[in-house]
mmCIF file with all atom_site columns, all heavy atoms in Angstrom:
data_model
loop_
_atom_site.group_PDB
_atom_site.id
_atom_site.type_symbol
_atom_site.label_atom_id
_atom_site.label_alt_id
_atom_site.label_comp_id
_atom_site.label_asym_id
_atom_site.label_entity_id
_atom_site.label_seq_id
_atom_site.pdbx_PDB_ins_code
_atom_site.Cartn_x
_atom_site.Cartn_y
_atom_site.Cartn_z
_atom_site.occupancy
_atom_site.B_iso_or_equiv
_atom_site.pdbx_formal_charge
_atom_site.auth_seq_id
_atom_site.auth_comp_id
_atom_site.auth_asym_id
_atom_site.auth_atom_id
_atom_site.pdbx_PDB_model_num
ATOM 1   N N   . GLU A 1 10 ? 12.620  19.873 15.268  1.00 0.00 ? 1499 GLU A N   1
ATOM 2   C CA  . GLU A 1 10 ? 13.114  21.214 15.010  1.00 0.00 ? 1499 GLU A CA  1
ATOM 3   C C   . GLU A 1 10 ? 12.104  22.093 14.377  1.00 0.00 ? 1499 GLU A C   1
ATOM 4   O O   . GLU A 1 10 ? 12.163  23.283 14.370  1.00 0.00 ? 1499 GLU A O   1
ATOM 5   C CB  . GLU A 1 10 ? 14.348  21.175 14.082  1.00 0.00 ? 1499 GLU A CB  1
ATOM 6   C CG  . GLU A 1 10 ? 15.609  20.556 14.794  1.00 0.00 ? 1499 GLU A CG  1
ATOM 7   C CD  . GLU A 1 10 ? 16.736  20.301 13.882  1.00 0.00 ? 1499 GLU A CD  1
ATOM 8   O OE1 . GLU A 1 10 ? 16.563  20.459 12.651  1.00 0.00 ? 1499 GLU A OE1 1
ATOM 9   O OE2 . GLU A 1 10 ? 17.802  19.899 14.371  1.00 0.00 ? 1499 GLU A OE2 1
ATOM 10  N N   . ASN A 1 11 ? 11.071  21.469 13.785  1.00 0.00 ? 1500 ASN A N   1
ATOM 11  C CA  . ASN A 1 11 ? 9.953   22.215 13.084  1.00 0.00 ? 1500 ASN A CA  1
ATOM 12  C C   . ASN A 1 11 ? 9.071   22.874 14.108  1.00 0.00 ? 1500 ASN A C   1
ATOM 13  O O   . ASN A 1 11 ? 8.683   22.194 15.063  1.00 0.00 ? 1500 ASN A O   1
ATOM 14  C CB  . ASN A 1 11 ? 9.212   21.186 12.125  1.00 0.00 ? 1500 ASN A CB  1
ATOM 15  C CG  . ASN A 1 11 ? 8.478   21.896 11.111  1.00 0.00 ? 1500 ASN A CG  1
ATOM 16  O OD1 . ASN A 1 11 ? 7.722   22.888 11.339  1.00 0.00 ? 1500 ASN A OD1 1
ATOM 17  N ND2 . ASN A 1 11 ? 8.632   21.463 9.915   1.00 0.00 ? 1500 ASN A ND2 1
ATOM 18  N N   . GLU A 1 12 ? 8.655   24.068 13.857  1.00 0.00 ? 1501 GLU A N   1
ATOM 19  C CA  . GLU A 1 12 ? 7.775   24.782 14.754  1.00 0.00 ? 1501 GLU A CA  1
ATOM 20  C C   . GLU A 1 12 ? 6.397   24.258 14.809  1.00 0.00 ? 1501 GLU A C   1
ATOM 21  O O   . GLU A 1 12 ? 5.642   24.433 15.717  1.00 0.00 ? 1501 GLU A O   1
ATOM 22  C CB  . GLU A 1 12 ? 7.804   26.289 14.430  1.00 0.00 ? 1501 GLU A CB  1
ATOM 23  C CG  . GLU A 1 12 ? 9.150   26.948 14.767  1.00 0.00 ? 1501 GLU A CG  1
ATOM 24  C CD  . GLU A 1 12 ? 9.205   28.431 14.539  1.00 0.00 ? 1501 GLU A CD  1
ATOM 25  O OE1 . GLU A 1 12 ? 8.129   29.039 14.427  1.00 0.00 ? 1501 GLU A OE1 1
ATOM 26  O OE2 . GLU A 1 12 ? 10.248  29.007 14.387  1.00 0.00 ? 1501 GLU A OE2 1
ATOM 27  N N   . SER A 1 13 ? 5.910   23.697 13.690  1.00 0.00 ? 1502 SER A N   1
ATOM 28  C CA  . SER A 1 13 ? 4.579   23.134 13.621  1.00 0.00 ? 1502 SER A CA  1
ATOM 29  C C   . SER A 1 13 ? 4.672   21.677 13.831  1.00 0.00 ? 1502 SER A C   1
ATOM 30  O O   . SER A 1 13 ? 5.725   21.047 13.708  1.00 0.00 ? 1502 SER A O   1
ATOM 31  C CB  . SER A 1 13 ? 3.914   23.492 12.305  1.00 0.00 ? 1502 SER A CB  1
ATOM 32  O OG  . SER A 1 13 ? 4.673   23.061 11.210  1.00 0.00 ? 1502 SER A OG  1
ATOM 33  N N   . LEU A 1 14 ? 3.521   21.053 14.179  1.00 0.00 ? 1503 LEU A N   1
ATOM 34  C CA  . LEU A 1 14 ? 3.480   19.625 14.406  1.00 0.00 ? 1503 LEU A CA  1
ATOM 35  C C   . LEU A 1 14 ? 3.556   18.945 13.086  1.00 0.00 ? 1503 LEU A C   1
ATOM 36  O O   . LEU A 1 14 ? 2.762   19.186 12.165  1.00 0.00 ? 1503 LEU A O   1
ATOM 37  C CB  . LEU A 1 14 ? 2.187   19.247 15.097  1.00 0.00 ? 1503 LEU A CB  1
ATOM 38  C CG  . LEU A 1 14 ? 2.027   19.744 16.580  1.00 0.00 ? 1503 LEU A CG  1
ATOM 39  C CD1 . LEU A 1 14 ? 0.633   19.404 17.049  1.00 0.00 ? 1503 LEU A CD1 1
ATOM 40  C CD2 . LEU A 1 14 ? 3.136   19.216 17.451  1.00 0.00 ? 1503 LEU A CD2 1
ATOM 41  N N   . VAL A 1 15 ? 4.527   18.009 12.932  1.00 0.00 ? 1504 VAL A N   1
ATOM 42  C CA  . VAL A 1 15 ? 4.742   17.313 11.716  1.00 0.00 ? 1504 VAL A CA  1
ATOM 43  C C   . VAL A 1 15 ? 4.594   15.781 12.035  1.00 0.00 ? 1504 VAL A C   1
ATOM 44  O O   . VAL A 1 15 ? 5.290   15.321 12.947  1.00 0.00 ? 1504 VAL A O   1
ATOM 45  C CB  . VAL A 1 15 ? 6.113   17.564 11.130  1.00 0.00 ? 1504 VAL A CB  1
ATOM 46  C CG1 . VAL A 1 15 ? 6.335   16.723 9.849   1.00 0.00 ? 1504 VAL A CG1 1
ATOM 47  C CG2 . VAL A 1 15 ? 6.269   19.015 10.755  1.00 0.00 ? 1504 VAL A CG2 1
ATOM 48  N N   . PRO A 1 16 ? 3.676   15.127 11.360  1.00 0.00 ? 1505 PRO A N   1
ATOM 49  C CA  . PRO A 1 16 ? 3.544   13.659 11.639  1.00 0.00 ? 1505 PRO A CA  1
ATOM 50  C C   . PRO A 1 16 ? 4.684   12.870 11.149  1.00 0.00 ? 1505 PRO A C   1
ATOM 51  O O   . PRO A 1 16 ? 5.254   13.160 10.102  1.00 0.00 ? 1505 PRO A O   1
ATOM 52  C CB  . PRO A 1 16 ? 2.247   13.290 10.905  1.00 0.00 ? 1505 PRO A CB  1
ATOM 53  C CG  . PRO A 1 16 ? 2.214   14.252 9.787   1.00 0.00 ? 1505 PRO A CG  1
ATOM 54  C CD  . PRO A 1 16 ? 2.831   15.529 10.229  1.00 0.00 ? 1505 PRO A CD  1
ATOM 55  N N   . ALA A 1 17 ? 4.982   11.714 11.792  1.00 0.00 ? 1506 ALA A N   1
ATOM 56  C CA  . ALA A 1 17 ? 6.024   10.783 11.390  1.00 0.00 ? 1506 ALA A CA  1
ATOM 57  C C   . ALA A 1 17 ? 5.543   10.084 10.091  1.00 0.00 ? 1506 ALA A C   1
ATOM 58  O O   . ALA A 1 17 ? 6.340   9.674  9.260   1.00 0.00 ? 1506 ALA A O   1
ATOM 59  C CB  . ALA A 1 17 ? 6.357   9.828  12.444  1.00 0.00 ? 1506 ALA A CB  1
ATOM 60  N N   . SER A 1 18 ? 4.232   9.863  10.040  1.00 0.00 ? 1507 SER A N   1
ATOM 61  C CA  . SER A 1 18 ? 3.680   9.119  8.928   1.00 0.00 ? 1507 SER A CA  1
ATOM 62  C C   . SER A 1 18 ? 2.365   9.806  8.437   1.00 0.00 ? 1507 SER A C   1
ATOM 63  O O   . SER A 1 18 ? 1.676   10.452 9.221   1.00 0.00 ? 1507 SER A O   1
ATOM 64  C CB  . SER A 1 18 ? 3.408   7.725  9.212   1.00 0.00 ? 1507 SER A CB  1
ATOM 65  O OG  . SER A 1 18 ? 2.377   7.531  10.200  1.00 0.00 ? 1507 SER A OG  1
ATOM 66  N N   . ILE A 1 19 ? 2.073   9.600  7.090   1.00 0.00 ? 1508 ILE A N   1
ATOM 67  C CA  . ILE A 1 19 ? 0.788   10.077 6.629   1.00 0.00 ? 1508 ILE A CA  1
ATOM 68  C C   . ILE A 1 19 ? 0.244   9.013  5.739   1.00 0.00 ? 1508 ILE A C   1
ATOM 69  O O   . ILE A 1 19 ? 0.975   8.118  5.222   1.00 0.00 ? 1508 ILE A O   1
ATOM 70  C CB  . ILE A 1 19 ? 0.888   11.456 5.831   1.00 0.00 ? 1508 ILE A CB  1
ATOM 71  C CG1 . ILE A 1 19 ? 1.781   11.270 4.557   1.00 0.00 ? 1508 ILE A CG1 1
ATOM 72  C CG2 . ILE A 1 19 ? 1.433   12.591 6.640   1.00 0.00 ? 1508 ILE A CG2 1
ATOM 73  C CD1 . ILE A 1 19 ? 1.662   12.438 3.660   1.00 0.00 ? 1508 ILE A CD1 1
ATOM 74  N N   . ILE A 1 20 ? -1.110  9.012  5.608   1.00 0.00 ? 1509 ILE A N   1
ATOM 75  C CA  . ILE A 1 20 ? -1.740  8.095  4.690   1.00 0.00 ? 1509 ILE A CA  1
ATOM 76  C C   . ILE A 1 20 ? -2.237  8.849  3.456   1.00 0.00 ? 1509 ILE A C   1
ATOM 77  O O   . ILE A 1 20 ? -2.809  9.921  3.570   1.00 0.00 ? 1509 ILE A O   1
ATOM 78  C CB  . ILE A 1 20 ? -2.984  7.366  5.363   1.00 0.00 ? 1509 ILE A CB  1
ATOM 79  C CG1 . ILE A 1 20 ? -2.556  6.698  6.649   1.00 0.00 ? 1509 ILE A CG1 1
ATOM 80  C CG2 . ILE A 1 20 ? -3.759  6.503  4.469   1.00 0.00 ? 1509 ILE A CG2 1
ATOM 81  C CD1 . ILE A 1 20 ? -3.703  6.193  7.464   1.00 0.00 ? 1509 ILE A CD1 1
ATOM 82  N N   . ILE A 1 21 ? -1.908  8.268  2.321   1.00 0.00 ? 1510 ILE A N   1
ATOM 83  C CA  . ILE A 1 21 ? -2.332  8.868  1.057   1.00 0.00 ? 1510 ILE A CA  1
ATOM 84  C C   . ILE A 1 21 ? -3.240  7.915  0.282   1.00 0.00 ? 1510 ILE A C   1
ATOM 85  O O   . ILE A 1 21 ? -2.862  6.784  0.037   1.00 0.00 ? 1510 ILE A O   1
ATOM 86  C CB  . ILE A 1 21 ? -1.137  9.153  0.150   1.00 0.00 ? 1510 ILE A CB  1
ATOM 87  C CG1 . ILE A 1 21 ? -0.169  10.149 0.865   1.00 0.00 ? 1510 ILE A CG1 1
ATOM 88  C CG2 . ILE A 1 21 ? -1.577  9.767  -1.204  1.00 0.00 ? 1510 ILE A CG2 1
ATOM 89  C CD1 . ILE A 1 21 ? 1.185   10.341 0.089   1.00 0.00 ? 1510 ILE A CD1 1
ATOM 90  N N   . SER A 1 22 ? -4.479  8.299  0.122   1.00 0.00 ? 1511 SER A N   1
ATOM 91  C CA  . SER A 1 22 ? -5.431  7.473  -0.702  1.00 0.00 ? 1511 SER A CA  1
ATOM 92  C C   . SER A 1 22 ? -5.199  7.832  -2.163  1.00 0.00 ? 1511 SER A C   1
ATOM 93  O O   . SER A 1 22 ? -5.556  8.934  -2.560  1.00 0.00 ? 1511 SER A O   1
ATOM 94  C CB  . SER A 1 22 ? -6.850  7.706  -0.287  1.00 0.00 ? 1511 SER A CB  1
ATOM 95  O OG  . SER A 1 22 ? -7.091  7.167  0.939   1.00 0.00 ? 1511 SER A OG  1
ATOM 96  N N   . LEU A 1 23 ? -4.545  6.965  -2.896  1.00 0.00 ? 1512 LEU A N   1
ATOM 97  C CA  . LEU A 1 23 ? -4.079  7.245  -4.253  1.00 0.00 ? 1512 LEU A CA  1
ATOM 98  C C   . LEU A 1 23 ? -5.267  7.209  -5.233  1.00 0.00 ? 1512 LEU A C   1
ATOM 99  O O   . LEU A 1 23 ? -5.236  7.858  -6.253  1.00 0.00 ? 1512 LEU A O   1
ATOM 100 C CB  . LEU A 1 23 ? -3.058  6.274  -4.715  1.00 0.00 ? 1512 LEU A CB  1
ATOM 101 C CG  . LEU A 1 23 ? -1.762  6.364  -3.965  1.00 0.00 ? 1512 LEU A CG  1
ATOM 102 C CD1 . LEU A 1 23 ? -0.819  5.226  -4.332  1.00 0.00 ? 1512 LEU A CD1 1
ATOM 103 C CD2 . LEU A 1 23 ? -1.068  7.672  -4.230  1.00 0.00 ? 1512 LEU A CD2 1
ATOM 104 N N   . THR A 1 24 ? -6.304  6.357  -4.938  1.00 0.00 ? 1513 THR A N   1
ATOM 105 C CA  . THR A 1 24 ? -7.359  6.195  -5.953  1.00 0.00 ? 1513 THR A CA  1
ATOM 106 C C   . THR A 1 24 ? -8.537  5.594  -5.164  1.00 0.00 ? 1513 THR A C   1
ATOM 107 O O   . THR A 1 24 ? -8.381  4.961  -4.136  1.00 0.00 ? 1513 THR A O   1
ATOM 108 C CB  . THR A 1 24 ? -6.968  5.249  -7.077  1.00 0.00 ? 1513 THR A CB  1
ATOM 109 O OG1 . THR A 1 24 ? -8.006  5.161  -7.965  1.00 0.00 ? 1513 THR A OG1 1
ATOM 110 C CG2 . THR A 1 24 ? -6.513  3.891  -6.596  1.00 0.00 ? 1513 THR A CG2 1
ATOM 111 N N   . LYS A 1 25 ? -9.694  5.799  -5.730  1.00 0.00 ? 1514 LYS A N   1
ATOM 112 C CA  . LYS A 1 25 ? -10.892 5.054  -5.167  1.00 0.00 ? 1514 LYS A CA  1
ATOM 113 C C   . LYS A 1 25 ? -11.174 3.854  -6.134  1.00 0.00 ? 1514 LYS A C   1
ATOM 114 O O   . LYS A 1 25 ? -11.978 3.009  -5.765  1.00 0.00 ? 1514 LYS A O   1
ATOM 115 C CB  . LYS A 1 25 ? -12.078 5.993  -5.251  1.00 0.00 ? 1514 LYS A CB  1
ATOM 116 C CG  . LYS A 1 25 ? -11.992 7.147  -4.242  1.00 0.00 ? 1514 LYS A CG  1
ATOM 117 C CD  . LYS A 1 25 ? -13.242 7.981  -4.324  1.00 0.00 ? 1514 LYS A CD  1
ATOM 118 C CE  . LYS A 1 25 ? -13.152 9.130  -3.290  1.00 0.00 ? 1514 LYS A CE  1
ATOM 119 N NZ  . LYS A 1 25 ? -14.300 10.000 -3.381  1.00 0.00 ? 1514 LYS A NZ  1
ATOM 120 N N   . ARG A 1 26 ? -10.450 3.783  -7.240  1.00 0.00 ? 1515 ARG A N   1
ATOM 121 C CA  . ARG A 1 26 ? -10.682 2.639  -8.169  1.00 0.00 ? 1515 ARG A CA  1
ATOM 122 C C   . ARG A 1 26 ? -10.119 1.329  -7.593  1.00 0.00 ? 1515 ARG A C   1
ATOM 123 O O   . ARG A 1 26 ? -9.135  1.355  -6.898  1.00 0.00 ? 1515 ARG A O   1
ATOM 124 C CB  . ARG A 1 26 ? -10.027 2.974  -9.505  1.00 0.00 ? 1515 ARG A CB  1
ATOM 125 C CG  . ARG A 1 26 ? -10.670 4.088  -10.286 1.00 0.00 ? 1515 ARG A CG  1
ATOM 126 C CD  . ARG A 1 26 ? -9.969  4.356  -11.595 1.00 0.00 ? 1515 ARG A CD  1
ATOM 127 N NE  . ARG A 1 26 ? -8.581  4.942  -11.315 1.00 0.00 ? 1515 ARG A NE  1
ATOM 128 C CZ  . ARG A 1 26 ? -7.555  4.781  -12.164 1.00 0.00 ? 1515 ARG A CZ  1
ATOM 129 N NH1 . ARG A 1 26 ? -7.706  4.148  -13.280 1.00 0.00 ? 1515 ARG A NH1 1
ATOM 130 N NH2 . ARG A 1 26 ? -6.384  5.390  -11.830 1.00 0.00 ? 1515 ARG A NH2 1
ATOM 131 N N   . CYS A 1 27 ? -10.793 0.230  -7.919  1.00 0.00 ? 1516 CYS A N   1
ATOM 132 C CA  . CYS A 1 27 ? -10.361 -1.063 -7.468  1.00 0.00 ? 1516 CYS A CA  1
ATOM 133 C C   . CYS A 1 27 ? -10.854 -2.109 -8.501  1.00 0.00 ? 1516 CYS A C   1
ATOM 134 O O   . CYS A 1 27 ? -11.876 -1.949 -9.133  1.00 0.00 ? 1516 CYS A O   1
ATOM 135 C CB  . CYS A 1 27 ? -10.852 -1.394 -6.114  1.00 0.00 ? 1516 CYS A CB  1
ATOM 136 S SG  . CYS A 1 27 ? -10.147 -2.900 -5.447  1.00 0.00 ? 1516 CYS A SG  1
ATOM 137 N N   . ASN A 1 28 ? -10.027 -3.125 -8.689  1.00 0.00 ? 1517 ASN A N   1
ATOM 138 C CA  . ASN A 1 28 ? -10.386 -4.227 -9.534  1.00 0.00 ? 1517 ASN A CA  1
ATOM 139 C C   . ASN A 1 28 ? -11.281 -5.282 -8.890  1.00 0.00 ? 1517 ASN A C   1
ATOM 140 O O   . ASN A 1 28 ? -11.793 -6.176 -9.536  1.00 0.00 ? 1517 ASN A O   1
ATOM 141 C CB  . ASN A 1 28 ? -9.208  -4.907 -10.139 1.00 0.00 ? 1517 ASN A CB  1
ATOM 142 C CG  . ASN A 1 28 ? -8.266  -5.435 -9.095  1.00 0.00 ? 1517 ASN A CG  1
ATOM 143 O OD1 . ASN A 1 28 ? -8.013  -4.838 -8.058  1.00 0.00 ? 1517 ASN A OD1 1
ATOM 144 N ND2 . ASN A 1 28 ? -7.735  -6.614 -9.294  1.00 0.00 ? 1517 ASN A ND2 1
#
Side-chain angles (χ1 to χ4, degrees):
E1499 292 170 352
N1500 199 312
E1501 291 182 18
S1502 58
L1503 294 175
V1504 177
S1507 66
I1508 64 168
I1509 300 172
I1510 301 172
S1511 289
L1512 295 170
T1513 183
K1514 290 181 181 177
R1515 294 179 289 155
C1516 187
N1517 60 318

